[in-house]
Amino acid sequence: MTPGVSWYAEGLRFSCTACGNCCTGPQGYVWLSPRDEAAVAEWMGLDPAAFRRRYVRLVGPHLCLVDKPGGDCIFLTEDRRCSIHPVKPRQCLTYPFWPRIVGTRKTWAEEGEGCPGMDAGPLWKAEEIDALSSQETPRELLCRIIERKRADA
């Protein structure tokens, strides 16, 4: 591979199937920015303090959603849907284009074993993937990229 060129320079295919697999399993971490926390609390009609008491834990200095017993996301419904989908946290919005997943072909393939949407659906350009995996990209731009891709599908 040429230095400075990612292994996914030709893009990657992904289309969310809403299977819920990325929201289940052993305890994990759904990190929340203060903006995520405020958006979800407002959408649920809770004041931020009440939302934090019920749905947030601290991991060091970082905000993280609590899990259901067994590790599933607290907002995953019985029919495996996201109950906060319109305001889901940035981390959820950008899956599977997280740095640890797109880091190598191997990590992409390993994650794909549990995600039927990976290597399927529309082609995401390397620039789109880089924007989604960057913490510097504003949420509004992330939403526009994702909506444009859904419209193309």
Side-chain angles (χ1 to χ4, degrees):
M1 180 166 35
T2 306
V5 177
S6 67
W7 69 270
Y8 56 83
E10 299 299 316
L12 294 170
R13 294 197 176 276
F14 174 72
S15 181
C16 181
T17 64
C19 68
N21 289 353
C22 56
C23 308
T24 62
Q27 180 181 18
Y29 301 98
V30 177
W31 304 108
L32 297 174
S33 68
R35 181 175 180 177
D36 290 332
E37 181 185 39
V40 177
E42 180 180 344
W43 192 82
M44 294 180 72
L46 296 173
D47 69 75
F51 176 80
R52 187 173 284 195
R53 281 191 303 274
R54 185 167 178 189
Y55 296 108
V56 177
R57 62 187 161 121
L58 288 176
V59 177
H62 305 287
L63 303 175
C64 184
L65 288 178
V66 298
D67 298 315
K68 290 180 181 177
D72 291 357
C73 177
I74 192 71
F75 294 114
L76 187 67
T77 64
E78 286 186 24
D79 63 350
R80 295 175 65 92
R81 300 289 181 218
C82 177
S83 65
I84 60 166
H85 188 355
V87 292
K88 64 186 175 184
R90 177 188 191 98
Q91 178 177 336
C92 304
L93 182 68
T94 59
Y95 179 85
F97 300 114
W98 301 344
R100 75 164 179 81
I101 295 172
V102 298
T104 66
R105 286 182 203 276
K106 182 177 187 246
T107 54
W108 179 261
E110 289 170 350
E111 189 72 17
E113 292 173 12
C115 177
M118 291 173 71
D119 295 324
L123 182 68
W124 292 75
K125 297 176 186 174
E127 303 82 45
E128 294 169 325
I129 295 165
D130 291 342
L132 291 169
S133 66
S134 171
Q135 288 297 313
E136 303 303 314
T137 305
R139 184 178 178 93
E140 294 78 15
L141 179 57
L142 295 175
C143 291
R144 283 197 302 271
I145 292 168
I146 291 166
E147 288 305 314
R148 208 171 33 242
K149 193 56 66 178
R150 286 183 185 146
D152 292 346

